[in-house]
Amino acid sequence: MSNKPLSDFDILVKGQLTVNLPVIIIMGLTFFGLLEFADFSLQRNLLIAFILGWISWAFLVKKWILWAVKNNISDERLLKIGKPGLLVWSIHTIETVTVKNKTPWI
């Protein structure tokens, strides 16, 4: 493995593949699985899919933030990359993991 610094693109792709892609898959499988196998309303299916997506986001984004910290990515750079990539919304999300050592939003 080389010691080449990570580009913004590398960091963004890692976040998309480890956070957003799994969350979308979880939400989609939940929604369509409930449509097929449960007798819930569409609104209830959406709500359950959203809740499971939110919970999985919280754990996966923490994993991505810890990976970035391990690779010496500053909180400010992570916010600059993560906010337009729909991975984090504010510096508070990052600091919850890096400073408080907690899972965000749970």
Side-chain angles (χ1 to χ4, degrees):
M1 185 168 185
S2 70
N3 289 334
K4 183 181 103 174
L6 293 167
S7 70
D8 289 358
F9 181 75
D10 294 333
I11 298 164
L12 178 63
V13 168
K14 175 74 172 180
Q16 294 298 325
L17 294 177
T18 59
V19 180
N20 285 345
L21 181 62
V23 167
I24 289 169
I25 291 170
I26 289 166
M27 290 177 70
L29 288 175
T30 300
F31 178 77
F32 291 111
L34 289 172
L35 273 181
E36 186 66 30
F37 300 111
D39 191 23
F40 295 148
S41 66
L42 286 176
Q43 292 84 358
R44 184 173 287 181
N45 290 353
L46 280 172
L47 180 63
I48 293 169
F50 179 79
I51 291 169
L52 288 178
W54 192 282
I55 292 168
S56 59
W57 169 84
F59 287 101
L60 293 170
V61 81
K62 180 179 181 181
K63 182 178 174 182
W64 177 67
I65 292 168
L66 292 174
W67 168 84
V69 168
K70 184 176 138 193
N71 285 281
N72 299 317
I73 309 300
S74 71
D75 291 358
E76 293 77 21
R77 184 174 176 208
L78 200 57
L79 178 63
K80 184 184 129 227
I81 296 165
K83 196 170 185 179
L86 302 176
L87 293 159
V88 295
W89 289 276
S90 70
I91 194 72
H92 175 73
T93 305
I94 297 167
E95 290 175 346
T96 299
V97 175
T98 60
V99 176
K100 299 176 184 173
N101 195 27
K102 293 183 177 180
T103 302
W105 297 84
I106 289 188

